Amino acid sequence: MSEEEQQIPPEDANAPINVKVVSATGDEVFFKIKRSTKLSKLQGAYANKVGKDVNSIRFLYDGARISDTDTPASLDMEDNDTIDVMVEQVGGCVPCSS
Amino acid sequence: MLFPHIKIFIMDLLGLAHPCDSSCESKLTALGTYPLCMVEPVETVLKAIQGITEYIPAMQELFTCTLEVNIDKELDYQATLQWGWSLPKKDETQNHTSTYLFNVLLYPRIRAASHCLRLIETAVDISSKALHSAADKHNIQTTKVLVAFQQMLVLKRSLQCILKMLFSAGRFILTEIPDFAKEISKLIIDPLRTLTAFDIDFGRIKEVKLKDFLLLDREKYINDEVMNYFCVKWTRRQPTKRVIALTTFFSAKVLFEHGNPRGEVYDRLSEDSLKYCKAAKVFFVPIHEPSGHWYSALIDYEGQKIEIFDSWGATYEKNSGRDVKDQKHAPLMLVLMWAAELWSSIRGVEPTDKPTVLLGDNKDSGWTFDPHALVAFQDNCFDCGIHVLDHLDRILRGENLNWKDKPSMDHRH
């Protein structure tokens, strides 16, 4: 029994995890990535898929911005975790008299 | 004068000869030639320094500091003591041994350059004063802030290049003394290299790109990167004020849904904001309206009030006379009230604070609400983001933003 238990951790550490990327409108895209892969790769792939400039969208994990050097491992992400995508927010005034 | 010293300092870091001492050869020539093209020309660096001190006087402090790093000292004694390096004797035969070169010529410079970089990173970068005065005038007429930023970036990049160069020189020397090299590399070079990564510790907001800062220019719209950068930076700088600024994503994700305030926020709140809210007295919420407008909200547990600050004058004129439930920001106020109730049950409570806040239909709660507080209005069509930052700045200064409390004041600049 103890042998079985010991085999699990190394598998977990290397196994790819599933990550769900959810846009503000609720659209979901699924990715499978290694825990050591930089999330910037995922960001680029997502931007490509939805046809947006990667600089115009923001990726959030647990409410905090994901930076280019982060990996699932560095953020302690687990299988089936969700990454939120927000669009760039720009503002200057109320556009029409509302 | 400060300036000439800086020049010498930079020249020395680059391994160039002292400009006034023509007989002196380049101090580092013994180490071979360096890819000088990697480095910004000295003049650019000097111009950058001049530019920074001109626009942000506080930076002068930084450059006075760098002079304390005594690069003329022949040996870094502290390093010697700390790491037990053998002191190279200063006689002719030993003058060009690898150990000597590393200890005497290279290491102090690496330290000086690293120190300088670190100072830039930790020193006041952009004073809130500069932005404050800009916001008072309702525009950034001079591009002071921008110029200073650009100059800082040039200087940072140059210092990083200098360091890179010094490191490569260091590696070159250390190949001559492999045993020593291994040790040094582990103890000194590697930690120093990580310093140059210019990882600003603003939580997760690591590096805001220059193109984002350029949005601070006149007639530009501020984006979320700039907003979050300053919100986090300013509130962290004054932790004792216990003001928490939430990120712009909070309003987009939690308070609003499809552009309209949410009816129910409890389950969403539990995900995001709760980890920030311990021990906070004041919550500052920058709010982005998807149509392209910034405004802000304040939840103040000490002053027992919730206020929404909108710098768009027409919105105020139109709504201030209306019945509360018809006001534009009334739905948002309701959401904020719910948030306030929930946070109050979770945050650390001071003995003087009321343990829980019950706001709905509770006339005795002692709290006041103003969905349309009277604040300074923008007199143009691009400054609302600057105004939001100005709101935070004033809150951190302990100012009361709502001018309804001071009716005599003229709120039109």
Side-chain angles (χ1 to χ4, degrees), chain A residues 58 60 62-65 67 75 84 86 88-95 97, chain B residues 204 221-225 248 252-253 275 288 292-294 312 378 381 384:
Chain A
R58 322 272 185 244
L60 307 181
D62 218 4
R65 188 99 147 71
S67 73
L75 296 177
D84 288 299
M86 313 291 294
E88 181 179 32
Q89 300 166 313
V90 181
C93 65
V94 177
S97 54
Chain B
R204 284 290 165 67
Y221 284 14
I222 287 187
N223 74 359
D224 50 337
E225 298 278 58
T248 59
K253 196 181 154 201
K275 56 180 176 250
H288 180 254
H293 181 48
W294 289 107
W312 192 243
Q378 59 191 101
C381 206
C384 64

PDB file of all heavy atoms in Angstrom, chain A residues 58 60 62-65 67 75 84 86 88-95 97, chain B residues 204 221-225 248 252-253 275 288 292-294 312 378 381 384:
ATOM      1  N   ARG A  58      -5.667  40.788 -20.547  1.00  0.00           N
ATOM      2  CA  ARG A  58      -4.974  40.517 -19.275  1.00  0.00           C
ATOM      3  C   ARG A  58      -5.433  39.166 -18.737  1.00  0.00           C
ATOM      4  O   ARG A  58      -6.619  38.866 -18.756  1.00  0.00           O
ATOM      5  CB  ARG A  58      -5.305  41.593 -18.244  1.00  0.00           C
ATOM      6  CG  ARG A  58      -5.414  42.976 -18.800  1.00  0.00           C
ATOM      7  CD  ARG A  58      -4.073  43.665 -18.811  1.00  0.00           C
ATOM      8  NE  ARG A  58      -4.194  45.037 -19.231  1.00  0.00           N
ATOM      9  CZ  ARG A  58      -3.629  45.510 -20.341  1.00  0.00           C
ATOM     10  NH1 ARG A  58      -2.913  44.723 -21.120  1.00  0.00           N
ATOM     11  NH2 ARG A  58      -3.757  46.783 -20.662  1.00  0.00           N
ATOM     12  N   LEU A  60      -5.709  36.718 -15.508  1.00  0.00           N
ATOM     13  CA  LEU A  60      -5.734  36.775 -14.048  1.00  0.00           C
ATOM     14  C   LEU A  60      -5.897  35.377 -13.482  1.00  0.00           C
ATOM     15  O   LEU A  60      -6.720  34.596 -13.955  1.00  0.00           O
ATOM     16  CB  LEU A  60      -6.906  37.610 -13.535  1.00  0.00           C
ATOM     17  CG  LEU A  60      -7.110  39.014 -14.061  1.00  0.00           C
ATOM     18  CD1 LEU A  60      -8.320  39.614 -13.377  1.00  0.00           C
ATOM     19  CD2 LEU A  60      -5.897  39.870 -13.777  1.00  0.00           C
ATOM     20  N   ASP A  62      -6.721  33.813  -9.774  1.00  0.00           N
ATOM     21  CA  ASP A  62      -7.053  34.111  -8.398  1.00  0.00           C
ATOM     22  C   ASP A  62      -7.109  35.617  -8.167  1.00  0.00           C
ATOM     23  O   ASP A  62      -6.706  36.110  -7.119  1.00  0.00           O
ATOM     24  CB  ASP A  62      -5.990  33.486  -7.472  1.00  0.00           C
ATOM     25  CG  ASP A  62      -6.642  32.940  -6.215  1.00  0.00           C
ATOM     26  OD1 ASP A  62      -7.866  32.995  -6.135  1.00  0.00           O
ATOM     27  OD2 ASP A  62      -5.904  32.473  -5.334  1.00  0.00           O
ATOM     28  N   GLY A  63      -7.563  36.336  -9.169  1.00  0.00           N
ATOM     29  CA  GLY A  63      -7.707  37.783  -9.024  1.00  0.00           C
ATOM     30  C   GLY A  63      -6.440  38.586  -9.254  1.00  0.00           C
ATOM     31  O   GLY A  63      -6.480  39.803  -9.286  1.00  0.00           O
ATOM     32  N   ALA A  64      -5.303  37.906  -9.404  1.00  0.00           N
ATOM     33  CA  ALA A  64      -4.045  38.634  -9.571  1.00  0.00           C
ATOM     34  C   ALA A  64      -3.528  38.450 -11.002  1.00  0.00           C
ATOM     35  O   ALA A  64      -3.721  37.408 -11.619  1.00  0.00           O
ATOM     36  CB  ALA A  64      -3.007  38.147  -8.572  1.00  0.00           C
ATOM     37  N   ARG A  65      -2.871  39.468 -11.460  1.00  0.00           N
ATOM     38  CA  ARG A  65      -2.350  39.458 -12.817  1.00  0.00           C
ATOM     39  C   ARG A  65      -1.269  38.401 -12.962  1.00  0.00           C
ATOM     40  O   ARG A  65      -0.404  38.260 -12.106  1.00  0.00           O
ATOM     41  CB  ARG A  65      -1.738  40.833 -13.086  1.00  0.00           C
ATOM     42  CG  ARG A  65      -1.332  41.079 -14.461  1.00  0.00           C
ATOM     43  CD  ARG A  65      -2.404  41.889 -15.186  1.00  0.00           C
ATOM     44  NE  ARG A  65      -1.755  42.770 -16.157  1.00  0.00           N
ATOM     45  CZ  ARG A  65      -1.195  42.314 -17.267  1.00  0.00           C
ATOM     46  NH1 ARG A  65      -1.223  41.038 -17.539  1.00  0.00           N
ATOM     47  NH2 ARG A  65      -0.615  43.143 -18.100  1.00  0.00           N
ATOM     48  N   SER A  67       2.068  37.255 -14.679  1.00  0.00           N
ATOM     49  CA  SER A  67       3.152  37.893 -15.422  1.00  0.00           C
ATOM     50  C   SER A  67       3.796  36.851 -16.341  1.00  0.00           C
ATOM     51  O   SER A  67       3.571  35.654 -16.215  1.00  0.00           O
ATOM     52  CB  SER A  67       4.188  38.492 -14.468  1.00  0.00           C
ATOM     53  OG  SER A  67       4.934  37.471 -13.878  1.00  0.00           O
ATOM     54  N   LEU A  75       2.683  29.397  -9.510  1.00  0.00           N
ATOM     55  CA  LEU A  75       1.440  29.944  -8.976  1.00  0.00           C
ATOM     56  C   LEU A  75       0.660  28.910  -8.165  1.00  0.00           C
ATOM     57  O   LEU A  75      -0.443  29.186  -7.715  1.00  0.00           O
ATOM     58  CB  LEU A  75       0.557  30.451 -10.120  1.00  0.00           C
ATOM     59  CG  LEU A  75       1.085  31.616 -10.936  1.00  0.00           C
ATOM     60  CD1 LEU A  75       0.130  31.951 -12.063  1.00  0.00           C
ATOM     61  CD2 LEU A  75       1.281  32.842 -10.060  1.00  0.00           C
ATOM     62  N   ASP A  84      -8.840  33.798 -15.628  1.00  0.00           N
ATOM     63  CA  ASP A  84      -9.784  34.774 -16.169  1.00  0.00           C
ATOM     64  C   ASP A  84      -9.087  35.658 -17.180  1.00  0.00           C
ATOM     65  O   ASP A  84      -7.928  36.030 -17.009  1.00  0.00           O
ATOM     66  CB  ASP A  84     -10.334  35.661 -15.037  1.00  0.00           C
ATOM     67  CG  ASP A  84     -11.290  34.887 -14.149  1.00  0.00           C
ATOM     68  OD1 ASP A  84     -12.309  34.432 -14.683  1.00  0.00           O
ATOM     69  OD2 ASP A  84     -10.999  34.737 -12.950  1.00  0.00           O
ATOM     70  N   MET A  86      -9.373  39.327 -19.036  1.00  0.00           N
ATOM     71  CA  MET A  86     -10.048  40.617 -19.055  1.00  0.00           C
ATOM     72  C   MET A  86      -9.514  41.398 -20.255  1.00  0.00           C
ATOM     73  O   MET A  86      -8.354  41.243 -20.631  1.00  0.00           O
ATOM     74  CB  MET A  86      -9.755  41.420 -17.786  1.00  0.00           C
ATOM     75  CG  MET A  86      -9.901  40.661 -16.480  1.00  0.00           C
ATOM     76  SD  MET A  86     -11.575  40.229 -16.067  1.00  0.00           S
ATOM     77  CE  MET A  86     -12.263  41.846 -15.819  1.00  0.00           C
ATOM     78  N   GLU A  88      -8.372  44.966 -22.051  1.00  0.00           N
ATOM     79  CA  GLU A  88      -7.751  46.202 -21.594  1.00  0.00           C
ATOM     80  C   GLU A  88      -8.840  47.226 -21.284  1.00  0.00           C
ATOM     81  O   GLU A  88      -9.819  47.348 -22.014  1.00  0.00           O
ATOM     82  CB  GLU A  88      -6.827  46.748 -22.689  1.00  0.00           C
ATOM     83  CG  GLU A  88      -6.129  48.019 -22.287  1.00  0.00           C
ATOM     84  CD  GLU A  88      -5.191  48.527 -23.372  1.00  0.00           C
ATOM     85  OE1 GLU A  88      -5.489  48.317 -24.553  1.00  0.00           O
ATOM     86  OE2 GLU A  88      -4.167  49.131 -23.019  1.00  0.00           O
ATOM     87  N   GLN A  89      -8.635  47.934 -20.165  1.00  0.00           N
ATOM     88  CA  GLN A  89      -9.608  48.963 -19.792  1.00  0.00           C
ATOM     89  C   GLN A  89      -9.011  50.325 -20.074  1.00  0.00           C
ATOM     90  O   GLN A  89      -7.953  50.668 -19.553  1.00  0.00           O
ATOM     91  CB  GLN A  89      -9.936  48.846 -18.299  1.00  0.00           C
ATOM     92  CG  GLN A  89     -10.535  47.501 -17.911  1.00  0.00           C
ATOM     93  CD  GLN A  89     -10.524  47.291 -16.412  1.00  0.00           C
ATOM     94  OE1 GLN A  89      -9.529  47.509 -15.742  1.00  0.00           O
ATOM     95  NE2 GLN A  89     -11.654  46.861 -15.882  1.00  0.00           N
ATOM     96  N   VAL A  90      -9.676  51.097 -20.891  1.00  0.00           N
ATOM     97  CA  VAL A  90      -9.198  52.441 -21.199  1.00  0.00           C
ATOM     98  C   VAL A  90     -10.348  53.399 -20.983  1.00  0.00           C
ATOM     99  O   VAL A  90     -11.487  53.089 -21.312  1.00  0.00           O
ATOM    100  CB  VAL A  90      -8.721  52.525 -22.662  1.00  0.00           C
ATOM    101  CG1 VAL A  90      -8.215  53.912 -22.971  1.00  0.00           C
ATOM    102  CG2 VAL A  90      -7.630  51.514 -22.924  1.00  0.00           C
ATOM    103  N   GLY A  91     -10.028  54.552 -20.392  1.00  0.00           N
ATOM    104  CA  GLY A  91     -11.115  55.501 -20.169  1.00  0.00           C
ATOM    105  C   GLY A  91     -10.655  56.933 -20.108  1.00  0.00           C
ATOM    106  O   GLY A  91      -9.535  57.220 -19.681  1.00  0.00           O
ATOM    107  N   GLY A  92     -11.528  57.839 -20.529  1.00  0.00           N
ATOM    108  CA  GLY A  92     -11.201  59.262 -20.493  1.00  0.00           C
ATOM    109  C   GLY A  92     -12.384  60.115 -20.095  1.00  0.00           C
ATOM    110  O   GLY A  92     -12.242  61.106 -19.397  1.00  0.00           O
ATOM    111  N   CYS A  93     -13.562  59.730 -20.550  1.00  0.00           N
ATOM    112  CA  CYS A  93     -14.737  60.522 -20.230  1.00  0.00           C
ATOM    113  C   CYS A  93     -15.978  59.717 -20.553  1.00  0.00           C
ATOM    114  O   CYS A  93     -15.895  58.620 -21.074  1.00  0.00           O
ATOM    115  CB  CYS A  93     -14.762  61.829 -21.015  1.00  0.00           C
ATOM    116  SG  CYS A  93     -14.925  61.556 -22.773  1.00  0.00           S
ATOM    117  N   VAL A  94     -17.127  60.296 -20.225  1.00  0.00           N
ATOM    118  CA  VAL A  94     -18.383  59.665 -20.607  1.00  0.00           C
ATOM    119  C   VAL A  94     -18.637  60.031 -22.070  1.00  0.00           C
ATOM    120  O   VAL A  94     -18.755  61.203 -22.401  1.00  0.00           O
ATOM    121  CB  VAL A  94     -19.530  60.164 -19.712  1.00  0.00           C
ATOM    122  CG1 VAL A  94     -20.843  59.568 -20.168  1.00  0.00           C
ATOM    123  CG2 VAL A  94     -19.247  59.797 -18.266  1.00  0.00           C
ATOM    124  N   PRO A  95     -18.676  59.035 -22.942  1.00  0.00           N
ATOM    125  CA  PRO A  95     -18.686  59.322 -24.374  1.00  0.00           C
ATOM    126  C   PRO A  95     -19.894  60.121 -24.846  1.00  0.00           C
ATOM    127  O   PRO A  95     -19.752  61.089 -25.570  1.00  0.00           O
ATOM    128  CB  PRO A  95     -18.650  57.939 -25.022  1.00  0.00           C
ATOM    129  CG  PRO A  95     -18.914  56.964 -23.945  1.00  0.00           C
ATOM    130  CD  PRO A  95     -18.653  57.614 -22.647  1.00  0.00           C
ATOM    131  N   SER A  97     -23.785  61.993 -23.680  1.00  0.00           N
ATOM    132  CA  SER A  97     -24.389  62.570 -22.479  1.00  0.00           C
ATOM    133  C   SER A  97     -25.368  61.571 -21.884  1.00  0.00           C
ATOM    134  O   SER A  97     -26.511  61.478 -22.317  1.00  0.00           O
ATOM    135  CB  SER A  97     -25.115  63.870 -22.830  1.00  0.00           C
ATOM    136  OG  SER A  97     -26.032  63.621 -23.860  1.00  0.00           O
TER     137      SER A  97
ATOM    138  N   ARG B 204       1.953  41.335  -8.152  1.00  0.00           N
ATOM    139  CA  ARG B 204       2.005  40.688  -9.437  1.00  0.00           C
ATOM    140  C   ARG B 204       2.214  41.681 -10.568  1.00  0.00           C
ATOM    141  O   ARG B 204       2.424  41.290 -11.696  1.00  0.00           O
ATOM    142  CB  ARG B 204       0.719  39.914  -9.686  1.00  0.00           C
ATOM    143  CG  ARG B 204       0.673  38.648  -8.913  1.00  0.00           C
ATOM    144  CD  ARG B 204       1.690  37.635  -9.488  1.00  0.00           C
ATOM    145  NE  ARG B 204       1.932  36.558  -8.584  1.00  0.00           N
ATOM    146  CZ  ARG B 204       1.001  35.663  -8.273  1.00  0.00           C
ATOM    147  NH1 ARG B 204      -0.179  35.721  -8.804  1.00  0.00           N
ATOM    148  NH2 ARG B 204       1.272  34.718  -7.428  1.00  0.00           N
ATOM    149  N   TYR B 221      -5.991  58.454 -23.026  1.00  0.00           N
ATOM    150  CA  TYR B 221      -6.801  57.775 -22.034  1.00  0.00           C
ATOM    151  C   TYR B 221      -5.909  56.824 -21.245  1.00  0.00           C
ATOM    152  O   TYR B 221      -5.142  56.054 -21.814  1.00  0.00           O
ATOM    153  CB  TYR B 221      -7.888  56.939 -22.716  1.00  0.00           C
ATOM    154  CG  TYR B 221      -9.056  57.729 -23.261  1.00  0.00           C
ATOM    155  CD1 TYR B 221      -8.996  59.106 -23.395  1.00  0.00           C
ATOM    156  CD2 TYR B 221     -10.225  57.082 -23.641  1.00  0.00           C
ATOM    157  CE1 TYR B 221     -10.074  59.818 -23.898  1.00  0.00           C
ATOM    158  CE2 TYR B 221     -11.301  57.789 -24.140  1.00  0.00           C
ATOM    159  CZ  TYR B 221     -11.230  59.156 -24.270  1.00  0.00           C
ATOM    160  OH  TYR B 221     -12.297  59.833 -24.761  1.00  0.00           O
ATOM    161  N   ILE B 222      -6.040  56.863 -19.941  1.00  0.00           N
ATOM    162  CA  ILE B 222      -5.257  55.967 -19.082  1.00  0.00           C
ATOM    163  C   ILE B 222      -5.820  54.546 -19.168  1.00  0.00           C
ATOM    164  O   ILE B 222      -7.028  54.359 -19.248  1.00  0.00           O
ATOM    165  CB  ILE B 222      -5.315  56.460 -17.622  1.00  0.00           C
ATOM    166  CG1 ILE B 222      -4.469  57.715 -17.483  1.00  0.00           C
ATOM    167  CG2 ILE B 222      -4.818  55.399 -16.669  1.00  0.00           C
ATOM    168  CD1 ILE B 222      -4.322  58.165 -16.074  1.00  0.00           C
ATOM    169  N   ASN B 223      -4.953  53.558 -19.140  1.00  0.00           N
ATOM    170  CA  ASN B 223      -5.460  52.181 -19.161  1.00  0.00           C
ATOM    171  C   ASN B 223      -5.301  51.503 -17.796  1.00  0.00           C
ATOM    172  O   ASN B 223      -4.786  52.088 -16.837  1.00  0.00           O
ATOM    173  CB  ASN B 223      -4.813  51.377 -20.294  1.00  0.00           C
ATOM    174  CG  ASN B 223      -3.381  50.996 -20.014  1.00  0.00           C
ATOM    175  OD1 ASN B 223      -2.829  51.346 -18.971  1.00  0.00           O
ATOM    176  ND2 ASN B 223      -2.781  50.278 -20.925  1.00  0.00           N
ATOM    177  N   ASP B 224      -5.743  50.269 -17.741  1.00  0.00           N
ATOM    178  CA  ASP B 224      -5.760  49.547 -16.474  1.00  0.00           C
ATOM    179  C   ASP B 224      -4.366  49.317 -15.903  1.00  0.00           C
ATOM    180  O   ASP B 224      -4.179  49.316 -14.694  1.00  0.00           O
ATOM    181  CB  ASP B 224      -6.488  48.206 -16.652  1.00  0.00           C
ATOM    182  CG  ASP B 224      -5.985  47.422 -17.848  1.00  0.00           C
ATOM    183  OD1 ASP B 224      -5.425  48.055 -18.754  1.00  0.00           O
ATOM    184  OD2 ASP B 224      -6.134  46.194 -17.898  1.00  0.00           O
ATOM    185  N   GLU B 225      -3.376  49.137 -16.767  1.00  0.00           N
ATOM    186  CA  GLU B 225      -2.014  48.880 -16.284  1.00  0.00           C
ATOM    187  C   GLU B 225      -1.514  50.051 -15.449  1.00  0.00           C
ATOM    188  O   GLU B 225      -0.967  49.867 -14.360  1.00  0.00           O
ATOM    189  CB  GLU B 225      -1.062  48.677 -17.469  1.00  0.00           C
ATOM    190  CG  GLU B 225      -1.389  47.499 -18.350  1.00  0.00           C
ATOM    191  CD  GLU B 225      -0.866  46.188 -17.802  1.00  0.00           C
ATOM    192  OE1 GLU B 225      -1.238  45.845 -16.678  1.00  0.00           O
ATOM    193  OE2 GLU B 225      -0.099  45.510 -18.496  1.00  0.00           O
ATOM    194  N   THR B 248      -8.415  47.247 -10.859  1.00  0.00           N
ATOM    195  CA  THR B 248      -9.482  47.628 -11.786  1.00  0.00           C
ATOM    196  C   THR B 248     -10.282  46.416 -12.227  1.00  0.00           C
ATOM    197  O   THR B 248     -11.395  46.546 -12.692  1.00  0.00           O
ATOM    198  CB  THR B 248      -8.888  48.295 -13.029  1.00  0.00           C
ATOM    199  OG1 THR B 248      -7.991  47.368 -13.641  1.00  0.00           O
ATOM    200  CG2 THR B 248      -8.138  49.546 -12.665  1.00  0.00           C
ATOM    201  N   ALA B 252     -14.610  45.270 -12.754  1.00  0.00           N
ATOM    202  CA  ALA B 252     -15.073  44.656 -13.996  1.00  0.00           C
ATOM    203  C   ALA B 252     -15.637  43.267 -13.751  1.00  0.00           C
ATOM    204  O   ALA B 252     -16.625  42.864 -14.351  1.00  0.00           O
ATOM    205  CB  ALA B 252     -13.924  44.592 -14.994  1.00  0.00           C
ATOM    206  N   LYS B 253     -14.999  42.555 -12.854  1.00  0.00           N
ATOM    207  CA  LYS B 253     -15.359  41.157 -12.695  1.00  0.00           C
ATOM    208  C   LYS B 253     -16.428  40.952 -11.626  1.00  0.00           C
ATOM    209  O   LYS B 253     -17.303  40.101 -11.772  1.00  0.00           O
ATOM    210  CB  LYS B 253     -14.102  40.379 -12.304  1.00  0.00           C
ATOM    211  CG  LYS B 253     -14.241  38.884 -12.491  1.00  0.00           C
ATOM    212  CD  LYS B 253     -12.978  38.170 -12.052  1.00  0.00           C
ATOM    213  CE  LYS B 253     -13.327  36.762 -11.634  1.00  0.00           C
ATOM    214  NZ  LYS B 253     -12.331  36.185 -10.764  1.00  0.00           N
ATOM    215  N   LYS B 275      -8.848  38.216   0.434  1.00  0.00           N
ATOM    216  CA  LYS B 275      -7.507  38.108   1.003  1.00  0.00           C
ATOM    217  C   LYS B 275      -6.863  39.470   1.245  1.00  0.00           C
ATOM    218  O   LYS B 275      -5.930  39.590   2.008  1.00  0.00           O
ATOM    219  CB  LYS B 275      -6.620  37.228   0.112  1.00  0.00           C
ATOM    220  CG  LYS B 275      -6.520  37.682  -1.300  1.00  0.00           C
ATOM    221  CD  LYS B 275      -5.606  36.730  -2.080  1.00  0.00           C
ATOM    222  CE  LYS B 275      -5.566  37.115  -3.532  1.00  0.00           C
ATOM    223  NZ  LYS B 275      -6.233  36.200  -4.415  1.00  0.00           N
ATOM    224  N   HIS B 288     -14.139  51.055 -13.756  1.00  0.00           N
ATOM    225  CA  HIS B 288     -14.080  51.302 -15.196  1.00  0.00           C
ATOM    226  C   HIS B 288     -15.430  51.015 -15.811  1.00  0.00           C
ATOM    227  O   HIS B 288     -15.974  49.925 -15.656  1.00  0.00           O
ATOM    228  CB  HIS B 288     -13.012  50.416 -15.839  1.00  0.00           C
ATOM    229  CG  HIS B 288     -12.903  50.617 -17.304  1.00  0.00           C
ATOM    230  ND1 HIS B 288     -13.369  49.714 -18.219  1.00  0.00           N
ATOM    231  CD2 HIS B 288     -12.402  51.655 -18.020  1.00  0.00           C
ATOM    232  CE1 HIS B 288     -13.150  50.183 -19.439  1.00  0.00           C
ATOM    233  NE2 HIS B 288     -12.564  51.350 -19.346  1.00  0.00           N
ATOM    234  N   GLY B 292     -15.907  53.532 -21.556  1.00  0.00           N
ATOM    235  CA  GLY B 292     -14.664  54.301 -21.610  1.00  0.00           C
ATOM    236  C   GLY B 292     -14.596  55.426 -20.602  1.00  0.00           C
ATOM    237  O   GLY B 292     -14.251  56.563 -20.925  1.00  0.00           O
ATOM    238  N   HIS B 293     -14.925  55.114 -19.353  1.00  0.00           N
ATOM    239  CA  HIS B 293     -14.891  56.162 -18.334  1.00  0.00           C
ATOM    240  C   HIS B 293     -14.380  55.579 -17.028  1.00  0.00           C
ATOM    241  O   HIS B 293     -14.705  54.454 -16.668  1.00  0.00           O
ATOM    242  CB  HIS B 293     -16.300  56.726 -18.150  1.00  0.00           C
ATOM    243  CG  HIS B 293     -16.376  57.826 -17.136  1.00  0.00           C
ATOM    244  ND1 HIS B 293     -15.493  58.882 -17.137  1.00  0.00           N
ATOM    245  CD2 HIS B 293     -17.227  58.038 -16.090  1.00  0.00           C
ATOM    246  CE1 HIS B 293     -15.800  59.697 -16.136  1.00  0.00           C
ATOM    247  NE2 HIS B 293     -16.829  59.194 -15.481  1.00  0.00           N
ATOM    248  N   TRP B 294     -13.533  56.365 -16.358  1.00  0.00           N
ATOM    249  CA  TRP B 294     -13.030  55.951 -15.044  1.00  0.00           C
ATOM    250  C   TRP B 294     -13.698  56.781 -13.958  1.00  0.00           C
ATOM    251  O   TRP B 294     -13.825  57.986 -14.087  1.00  0.00           O
ATOM    252  CB  TRP B 294     -11.510  56.179 -14.934  1.00  0.00           C
ATOM    253  CG  TRP B 294     -10.648  55.289 -15.731  1.00  0.00           C
ATOM    254  CD1 TRP B 294      -9.964  55.631 -16.858  1.00  0.00           C
ATOM    255  CD2 TRP B 294     -10.311  53.916 -15.471  1.00  0.00           C
ATOM    256  NE1 TRP B 294      -9.238  54.563 -17.327  1.00  0.00           N
ATOM    257  CE2 TRP B 294      -9.435  53.492 -16.485  1.00  0.00           C
ATOM    258  CE3 TRP B 294     -10.674  53.013 -14.469  1.00  0.00           C
ATOM    259  CZ2 TRP B 294      -8.913  52.208 -16.543  1.00  0.00           C
ATOM    260  CZ3 TRP B 294     -10.160  51.739 -14.517  1.00  0.00           C
ATOM    261  CH2 TRP B 294      -9.291  51.346 -15.551  1.00  0.00           C
ATOM    262  N   TRP B 312     -16.997  63.446 -13.947  1.00  0.00           N
ATOM    263  CA  TRP B 312     -17.740  63.916 -15.115  1.00  0.00           C
ATOM    264  C   TRP B 312     -18.861  64.832 -14.639  1.00  0.00           C
ATOM    265  O   TRP B 312     -19.868  64.376 -14.100  1.00  0.00           O
ATOM    266  CB  TRP B 312     -18.292  62.730 -15.910  1.00  0.00           C
ATOM    267  CG  TRP B 312     -18.816  63.119 -17.254  1.00  0.00           C
ATOM    268  CD1 TRP B 312     -20.110  62.996 -17.688  1.00  0.00           C
ATOM    269  CD2 TRP B 312     -18.089  63.687 -18.340  1.00  0.00           C
ATOM    270  NE1 TRP B 312     -20.228  63.451 -18.969  1.00  0.00           N
ATOM    271  CE2 TRP B 312     -19.002  63.886 -19.409  1.00  0.00           C
ATOM    272  CE3 TRP B 312     -16.752  64.054 -18.525  1.00  0.00           C
ATOM    273  CZ2 TRP B 312     -18.617  64.441 -20.632  1.00  0.00           C
ATOM    274  CZ3 TRP B 312     -16.366  64.594 -19.736  1.00  0.00           C
ATOM    275  CH2 TRP B 312     -17.288  64.787 -20.773  1.00  0.00           C
ATOM    276  N   GLN B 378     -13.575  67.242 -14.370  1.00  0.00           N
ATOM    277  CA  GLN B 378     -12.630  67.370 -15.474  1.00  0.00           C
ATOM    278  C   GLN B 378     -13.190  68.387 -16.467  1.00  0.00           C
ATOM    279  O   GLN B 378     -14.402  68.458 -16.680  1.00  0.00           O
ATOM    280  CB  GLN B 378     -12.425  66.008 -16.148  1.00  0.00           C
ATOM    281  CG  GLN B 378     -13.688  65.389 -16.712  1.00  0.00           C
ATOM    282  CD  GLN B 378     -13.484  63.937 -17.126  1.00  0.00           C
ATOM    283  OE1 GLN B 378     -13.851  63.008 -16.415  1.00  0.00           O
ATOM    284  NE2 GLN B 378     -12.876  63.740 -18.286  1.00  0.00           N
ATOM    285  N   CYS B 381     -12.057  65.997 -22.105  1.00  0.00           N
ATOM    286  CA  CYS B 381     -12.652  64.687 -22.373  1.00  0.00           C
ATOM    287  C   CYS B 381     -11.626  63.558 -22.264  1.00  0.00           C
ATOM    288  O   CYS B 381     -11.714  62.560 -22.954  1.00  0.00           O
ATOM    289  CB  CYS B 381     -13.292  64.692 -23.752  1.00  0.00           C
ATOM    290  SG  CYS B 381     -14.620  63.499 -23.891  1.00  0.00           S
ATOM    291  N   CYS B 384     -10.336  61.673 -16.859  1.00  0.00           N
ATOM    292  CA  CYS B 384     -11.011  61.021 -15.742  1.00  0.00           C
ATOM    293  C   CYS B 384     -10.084  60.047 -15.013  1.00  0.00           C
ATOM    294  O   CYS B 384     -10.159  59.895 -13.803  1.00  0.00           O
ATOM    295  CB  CYS B 384     -12.289  60.330 -16.206  1.00  0.00           C
ATOM    296  SG  CYS B 384     -12.010  58.994 -17.352  1.00  0.00           S
TER     297      CYS B 384
END
